[in-house]
Amino acid sequence: MPVAAPKRTARVCIIDDEEPFVSVLREELAREGFKVASALSGGDGMKLLEDEPFDVCILDINMPGLNGLEVLGRAAEQAIPAEFIVLTACTSLQTAVEAIRLGAYEFLAKPCSLEKMAFLIRKAFEKRLLRQDSLVLKRMSEGRGRIITKSRSVAKLLSEAGKVARSDAPVLILGESGTGKELFAEFIHENSSRSAAPFIIFNAATIQHGLFESELFGYEKGAFTGALASKAGLLELADGGTLFLDEIGEVPYEMQAKLLRVIEKGTFYKVGGTKELHVDLRVVTATNRDLPGMAAGGRFREDLYYRLSSVVMELPPLRERKEDIPILAEDLLSRLPAGYRKKISPAALDVLLMHSWPGNIRELQNALNRAAIISDSDEIGPSDLHIEPVHASNADRPGAAPVLVSLAEMEKEHIGKVLGHTKGNRKKAAEILGIDVKTLYRKIRLYGL
């Protein structure tokens, strides 16, 4: 079912050195329903374009210092995505041709009517949205966001995700590493009214703690040593779209209050900035950590947890959806380069079905990639997988040496089985194991379950 483009207001930037003209135009365009900002020189205008995302820029050609053509050239070099409507009091065919060559959407001579200006802004905005749509279609044609399943539990989650996508409620996706949390987040984005806008991913586990704030919120020039120019953060880049915060449990405690403000009010400050900025975005988060336990232990803000968990979706591990292994294997192999697209033998498939897959789909993908590379035939066999076949017991292997494991390994395996039996219900699992819930939480973290 087609998804409507986001109904958001065009963000317009005016760069012109005639202050009375700018003042009137700002006021009139605001009345037309546009979000408007302005600068009175080419240099200040370029800084504005670098700092904030705009859909359309009204640009004067004849300005002292950095002129309009130079602004257009720099914007093209930096791949600034705004559509430019060029204005000038002195019409010149050569100037018009140069402006169009540099990427201008339209060239207008002063004075021009407000009606024509508003009409062109809306047409330029439509072009920008269409260009974003084409990027989304390209992304979908490349297979991103596809979730393949025969599992009833996963199909049910997909149905719920489709319904959740229609709202702007925050979503918290739980699950072990490699279960496809990012794919589910992208599925929610692609099925929302924000699908034509950016889907921005921020993995908190890969960022040094000292860089969290500058990466998310951006910074002003001179905010710290090495900040030679202002930089937009991921929040600004995600404006109008979806921000996916992966590994949310790794966000430093001191940053969590600022993140809560963004989710509740849509406002924030850049590092070193004094101007309050506004964004309109949807936040989806994911973790394999025990956030309730972290909140109870004072390592994660309870108010942020409750705000993030308006909707909670828990993805099952691959060992609980083994009916998906054959179709996942076929799909993963089909995505390999032409020379490595091989079939998998029935015996190799049996090995895949017997394996417990602690690394989930990511581990399956790595195993198949390696097997496809080292296999000498058009078919992957059991020996190509380098996965030890699982046997029910030593009784099935006469004369075989007993497999000896540590007590920790036995405990880890047993806790995993009990959690699987209770479908992740930690309270029931703790009762079966004869330990309290707090002890179970500690062991889950210890063993990475």
Side-chain angles (χ1 to χ4, degrees):
M1 181 178 179
V3 179
K7 295 179 180 178
R8 65 173 176 83
T9 303
R11 295 161 294 193
V12 180
C13 171
I14 304 169
I15 305 175
D16 195 302
D17 63 334
E18 296 182 27
E19 189 171 359
F21 170 76
V22 171
S23 179
V24 171
L25 188 58
R26 278 193 66 148
E27 185 177 340
E28 294 297 330
L29 291 181
R31 285 178 182 168
E32 290 287 323
F34 300 116
K35 293 180 180 178
V36 189
S38 62
L40 295 175
S41 70
D44 288 344
M46 197 65 222
K47 184 176 183 300
L48 198 60
L49 290 170
E50 290 170 343
D51 288 352
E52 300 180 34
F54 290 97
D55 299 301
V56 182
C57 177
I58 310 299
L59 176 64
D60 187 27
I61 288 292
N62 300 308
M63 293 182 289
L66 201 67
N67 65 39
L69 290 179
E70 291 171 323
V71 170
L72 273 173
R74 292 192 184 184
E77 288 174 2
Q78 298 183 34
I80 288 172
E83 298 291 341
F84 288 84
I85 297 174
V86 173
L87 290 175
T88 184
C90 304
T91 57
S92 159
L93 179 60
Q94 184 179 356
T95 303
V97 169
E98 181 64 10
I100 299 299
R101 187 188 71 79
L102 290 169
Y105 172 75
E106 187 58 89
F107 186 91
L108 287 178
K110 291 181 181 178
C112 65
S113 68
L114 174 66
E115 290 78 12
K116 187 172 184 179
M117 178 73 74
F119 173 78
L120 284 175
I121 290 173
R122 291 190 177 95
K123 295 298 289 182
F125 183 44
E126 286 176 12
K127 180 185 176 184
R128 172 147 163 67
L129 289 181
L130 284 172
R131 191 167 61 193
Q132 288 178 329
D133 283 340
S134 69
L135 291 174
V136 171
L137 289 171
K138 180 176 184 292
R139 192 164 69 230
M140 291 173 70
S141 69
E142 291 171 347
R144 288 187 63 193
R146 292 190 308 154
I147 299 174
I148 300 171
T149 188
K150 284 185 176 179
S151 163
R152 288 186 179 181
S153 62
V154 177
K156 183 180 178 183
L157 284 172
L158 279 173
S159 176
E160 292 174 1
K163 295 173 184 176
V164 167
R166 300 170 196 162
S167 74
D168 266 347
V171 180
L172 174 61
I173 304 174
L174 304 176
E176 297 176 7
S177 294
T179 50
K181 297 188 288 295
E182 183 180 319
L183 275 179
F184 260 80
E186 190 168 8
F187 178 87
I188 290 169
H189 172 74
E190 297 290 2
N191 287 275
S192 74
S193 62
R194 299 175 178 270
S195 60
F199 175 72
I200 302 295
I201 301 169
F202 178 77
N203 190 322
T206 63
I207 304 295
Q208 295 180 18
H209 279 205
L211 300 178
F212 268 90
E213 189 168 9
S214 60
E215 287 293 319
L216 267 181
F217 300 104
Y219 54 81
E220 296 291 357
K221 180 179 179 180
F224 50 83
T225 303
L228 303 179
S230 296
K231 178 186 174 183
L234 295 182
L235 290 173
E236 288 179 84
L237 297 179
D239 192 20
T242 302
L243 177 65
F244 174 50
L245 295 171
D246 200 3
E247 303 294 354
I248 187 66
E250 306 301 326
V251 173
Y253 192 87
E254 61 273 14
M255 287 294 303
Q256 293 173 19
K258 295 181 179 181
L259 184 57
L260 179 63
R261 181 183 179 86
V262 174
I263 295 169
E264 290 186 336
K265 298 184 177 180
T267 60
F268 67 97
Y269 292 88
K270 286 186 176 183
V271 177
T274 57
K275 178 184 176 183
E276 187 177 57
L277 301 178
H278 296 258
V279 285
D280 170 29
L281 50 78
R282 199 240 189 98
V283 175
V284 178
T285 55
T287 185
N288 58 10
R289 302 281 298 273
D290 170 31
L291 287 190
M294 292 176 66
R299 290 176 292 121
F300 197 88
R301 291 182 65 102
E302 284 190 335
D303 48 3
L304 178 58
Y305 168 69
Y306 291 129
R307 194 71 181 86
L308 295 176
S309 58
S310 297
V311 178
V312 178
M313 306 184 73
E314 186 158 6
L315 306 188
L318 188 55
R319 62 182 172 273
E320 293 179 10
R321 47 179 290 205
K322 288 197 171 182
E323 63 269 38
D324 282 343
I325 289 177
I327 58 172
L328 285 170
E330 181 181 354
D331 179 69
L332 291 168
L333 288 170
S334 73
R335 298 188 198 182
L336 294 177
Y340 297 98
R341 292 174 193 164
K342 301 178 180 181
K343 294 183 179 180
I344 187 161
S345 71
L349 185 57
D350 286 342
V351 173
L352 296 182
L353 290 169
M354 287 188 290
H355 190 57
S356 61
W357 300 110
N360 294 292
I361 300 170
R362 190 176 296 125
E363 183 188 358
L364 174 64
Q365 182 177 22
N366 291 339
L368 291 172
N369 288 354
R370 186 178 190 279
I373 292 169
I374 66 173
S375 175
D376 293 324
S377 71
D378 293 333
E379 189 175 69
I380 293 173
S383 61
D384 298 320
L385 291 168
H386 287 263
I387 296 172
E388 185 68 28
V390 178
H391 296 274
S393 69
N394 277 343
D396 297 327
R397 304 168 63 193
V403 179
L404 302 177
V405 297
S406 68
L407 286 171
E409 285 292 326
M410 291 176 65
E411 184 179 60
K412 176 182 177 180
E413 182 179 356
H414 184 59
I415 291 174
K417 287 179 179 178
V418 172
L419 285 168
H421 174 74
T422 63
K423 300 188 184 304
N425 187 314
R426 293 170 174 81
K427 185 176 180 182
K428 288 183 180 178
E431 291 173 358
I432 294 171
L433 292 166
I435 57 178
D436 59 48
V437 175
K438 188 175 180 180
T439 301
L440 177 59
Y441 279 144
R442 190 170 68 251
K443 290 184 180 294
I444 287 172
R445 288 196 297 271
L446 175 66
Y447 295 134
L449 294 172

